[in-house]
């Protein structure tokens, strides 16, 4: 088992720029979910991908988009960055559509927008 | 939408003391998950509770689910500095594909 890995661990972007965050899922898992955690808050669900298709989305604008690749790794893209996008972004993997990924979270990517 | 309220928001205890963290849901709980998080890091899964009255333990941490009260509690016995961190509860609610989280409880254990 390699676990869920995210890259990069930290990055700083300027308001208006675009950013791509990456996630490699736990071996054998075909579902990836992304969460945003602002400082002092619990994680908020962004969306889930199952077999390369979006399988559910939280209350986030369209400038938050994602991809899942045939090897089940995933990307989170955020366009037109805003200061409020500064947060810890977490991905989690699981096996099967519609399954809340409870056990396997990555270490997160800390995004700072200045 | 489902909301989870955790109490207390923060807690400072002396090493060796017992403590309890509560998580109350605004809707029926279909599954309740407890996590620990070190500041700025990922979530470490502790345990999952699915049935009313269910109780699980891992080392010195015990969690219970009171389905009727839509509430769960996390109890740490004889706390140690290694227990320090943020404890988060999460629930699947009626939608299996996402978890809704509480805001977390910050635990400090003084040696």
């Amino acid at each position: 088992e390699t676990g869920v890995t995210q890259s990069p661990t930290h990055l700083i972007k300027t308001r208006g720029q675009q950013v791509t965050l990456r996630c490699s899922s736990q071996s054998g898992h075909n579902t990836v979910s992304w969460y945003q955690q602002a400082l002092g808050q619990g994680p908020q669900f962004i969306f889930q991908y199952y077999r390369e298709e979006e399988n559910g989305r939280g209350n986030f604008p369209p400038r938050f988009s994602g991809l899942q690749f045939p090897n089940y790794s995933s990307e989170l893209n955020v366009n037109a960055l805003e200061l409020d996008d500064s947060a810890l972004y977490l991905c989690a993997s699981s096996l099967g559509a519609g399954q809340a990924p409870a056990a396997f979270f990555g270490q997160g990517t800390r995004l700072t927008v200045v | 939408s489902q909301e989870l309220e955790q109490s207390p928001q923060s807690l400072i205890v002396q090493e060796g003391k017992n403590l309890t963290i509560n998580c109350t849901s605004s809707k029926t709980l279909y599954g309740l998950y407890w996590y620990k998080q070190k500041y700025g890091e990922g979530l470490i899964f502790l345990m999952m509770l699915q049935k009313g009255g269910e109780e699980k333990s891992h080392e010195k941490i015990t969690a219970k689910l009171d389905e009727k009260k839509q509430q769960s509690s996390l109890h740490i016995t004889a706390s140690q500095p290694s227990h320090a961190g943020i404890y988060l509860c999460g629930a699947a609610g009626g939608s299996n594909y996402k978890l809704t989280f509480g805001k977390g409880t910050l635990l400090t254990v003084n040696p």
Side-chain angles (χ1 to χ4, degrees), chain A residues 8-104:
Chain A
T9 55
H10 298 83
L11 76 164
I12 300 174
K13 289 287 188 177
T14 302
R15 189 173 50 183
Q17 284 187 318
Q18 178 266 342
V19 69
T20 298
L21 310 182
R22 295 177 175 82
C23 173
S24 294
S25 56
Q26 172 82 11
S27 178
H29 286 180
N30 55 18
T31 304
V32 173
S33 298
W34 286 91
Y35 291 80
Q36 179 197 66
Q37 186 178 22
L39 195 62
Q41 303 294 316
Q44 298 287 319
F45 175 76
I46 303 174
F47 43 55
Q48 183 186 81
Y49 276 82
Y50 169 66
R51 291 185 176 179
E52 303 178 56
E53 292 192 1
E54 188 177 290
N55 185 48
R57 189 179 181 91
N59 188 27
F60 280 81
R63 60 189 184 85
F64 284 77
S65 62
L67 281 173
Q68 188 178 32
F69 300 99
N71 66 355
Y72 303 131
S73 65
S74 177
E75 288 182 353
L76 164 65
N77 299 290
V78 187
N79 294 323
L81 284 167
E82 300 177 0
L83 297 179
D84 285 348
D85 294 334
S86 296
L88 180 69
Y89 288 85
L90 298 163
C91 78
S93 73
S94 61
L95 181 62
Q99 297 298 316
F104 302 97

Side-chain angles (χ1 to χ4, degrees), chain A residues 33 35 37 39-43 45 48 55-56 88 90 98-103 105-107 110, chain B residues 33 35 37 39-45 48 86 88 92 95-104:
Chain A
S33 298
Y35 291 80
Q37 186 178 22
L39 195 62
Q41 303 294 316
F45 175 76
Q48 183 186 81
N55 185 48
L88 180 69
L90 298 163
Q99 297 298 316
F105 277 83
Q107 81 282 11
R110 169 69 63 186
Chain B
Y33 307 83
Y35 299 87
Q37 184 179 34
Y39 178 77
E41 298 181 6
L43 305 185
I44 300 169
F45 173 73
M48 175 181 69
I86 300 168
L88 291 154
S95 175
N96 286 335
Y97 59 78
K98 72 172 184 178
L99 288 173
T100 298
F101 288 89
K103 291 185 177 181

